[in-house]
Amino acid sequence: MVDHHPAKALEYQVTSDLSHGQYVVFLSKPTPMDFYVNEHETIWYPQSTHHYTVLPSLPAADAPLGVVAQMPSLLREAHVTAAAIKHNLVTLQMTVNFPTSSNSAQMRVTYNTKTNVLTQWQAKWGSTQITENFSHFQVNPSVAAGTYSFVPPAGVTSDVALSQVGTALNAAKSAVDFPIALPPANADMTLNAINIGTNAQGQRVVIMSFTAQDANPVVITEKAQVHALVGLPDKDLTATTANVGALTVFLGALPDNMEEAAFLVRKTEVIVEGETSVINTLLNAWGNEPSLAPST
């Protein structure tokens, strides 16, 4: 569990190959998501959405997952400062120099001598604290090399040929011919990356990856649209219509309690994908934003 997202516990599997600088994270709760990380790039894929994002590094909001993946090396480098034994449980207090902090991290690890299983690991650095409760833990398992390679599932192909990855926002605004509609400030979303490209129709497209307050991912795709929207871009989804403040929004259900929404504002088509509760909260904030008058 990550302390700056106290409302949700995260459940995931981490497989690390630290000698080659790579690891993979399969996040199952609160929202299914995959991370493939190596020395050169990070693949950021929210399952059940239609897009994946190539990033130069793990987004800051997801950095604790990278810390967990590096746990074995952190334990090797740590200094034991205290130990406690209670029945079959051995607990070690440790300190280690942390690459992402100017201060040393405090760690605590608990080991069950009866079952020979590492049961809990805690780390705290700065204002961030992680507590890991392990259901399974393997040392030096046999792992196929393909584990660390991302193969897009059927139908998960980007709408754009990505020409710029992790582009700064001001550069993105200068690279497209439509106004980029950002989430309202009160939505309090963390922008992870911006991808810019051109679709098959020759239109410039922007894909933005965000992390919401409760750690859930949100993908926003935008492009210029002259005509009024009549439904969702994904024709395989059954669309319903809702009036959210000043916006007319088309909604469609995705698997795993996910949702896709589309609306038009100032001649910009906005498509939002993410967990239903997050999307609904975001749409309410967006629809009541005074500066976002609907397109005519």
Side-chain angles (χ1 to χ4, degrees):
M1 180 174 177
V2 184
D3 70 343
H4 60 272
H5 298 308
K8 299 217 177 191
L10 307 182
E11 294 184 10
Y12 47 86
Q13 173 187 323
V14 180
T15 305
S16 303
D17 181 6
L18 297 178
S19 61
H20 292 87
Q22 59 189 0
Y23 57 90
V24 60
V25 180
F26 299 116
L27 179 64
S28 56
K29 291 182 180 180
T31 298
M33 190 164 179
D34 298 341
F35 301 85
Y36 293 78
V37 183
N38 59 43
E39 293 178 319
H40 307 292
E41 64 185 15
T42 294
I43 303 296
W44 194 84
Y45 171 51
Q47 295 179 21
S48 301
T49 66
H50 303 148
H51 308 290
Y52 63 91
T53 304
V54 181
L55 307 172
S57 61
L58 196 66
D62 301 312
L65 297 177
V67 173
V68 173
Q70 299 177 62
M71 183 194 68
S73 64
L74 292 174
L75 290 177
R76 286 196 299 266
E77 299 167 4
H79 300 283
V80 177
T81 58
I85 301 175
K86 184 176 181 180
H87 304 301
N88 297 318
L89 298 179
V90 176
T91 300
L92 301 177
Q93 299 283 353
M94 316 170 85
T95 61
V96 64
N97 292 326
F98 226 44
T100 58
S101 174
S102 58
N103 299 319
S104 61
Q106 304 300 311
M107 300 196 306
R108 185 170 70 178
V109 61
T110 302
Y111 182 80
N112 190 315
T113 59
K114 185 176 182 179
T115 60
N116 289 327
V117 172
L118 185 67
T119 59
Q120 188 180 80
W121 175 70
Q122 293 179 309
K124 182 177 182 180
W125 68 103
S127 61
T128 302
Q129 179 173 316
I130 298 174
T131 298
E132 294 297 314
N133 296 299
F134 298 101
S135 59
H136 300 82
F137 192 91
Q138 290 180 276
V139 179
N140 296 327
S142 177
V143 179
T147 301
Y148 303 100
S149 300
F150 176 69
V151 179
V156 178
T157 55
S158 177
D159 290 339
V160 300
L162 300 179
S163 56
Q164 300 178 50
V165 178
T167 311
L169 181 59
N170 58 351
K173 289 179 178 178
S174 66
V176 297
D177 57 357
F178 56 88
I180 295 175
L182 293 172
N186 61 2
D188 198 16
M189 304 238 295
T190 301
L191 175 61
N192 298 316
I194 303 174
N195 296 322
I196 303 171
T198 305
N199 64 13
Q201 290 72 43
Q203 295 173 291
R204 295 295 274 171
V205 177
V206 170
I207 299 178
M208 295 180 285
S209 302
F210 289 87
T211 300
Q213 285 179 295
D214 62 357
N216 277 298
V218 176
V219 177
I220 299 176
T221 304
E222 300 185 5
K223 64 180 180 179
Q225 177 61 272
V226 177
H227 304 291
L229 293 184
V230 295
L232 290 168
D234 188 343
K235 303 305 180 185
D236 293 331
L237 293 179
T238 300
T240 59
T241 305
N243 293 318
V244 184
L247 302 176
T248 299
V249 181
F250 294 92
L251 301 169
L254 295 170
D256 299 314
N257 197 34
M258 305 280 279
E259 186 174 62
E260 180 175 293
F263 60 89
L264 190 64
V265 61
R266 291 204 296 264
K267 305 298 184 182
T268 297
E269 179 184 299
V270 181
I271 305 164
V272 188
E273 297 167 286
E275 187 180 69
T276 298
S277 61
V278 176
I279 297 304
N280 290 343
T281 300
L282 176 59
L283 290 175
N284 284 327
W286 226 326
N288 291 289
E289 182 77 1
S291 62
L292 290 184
S295 299
T296 55

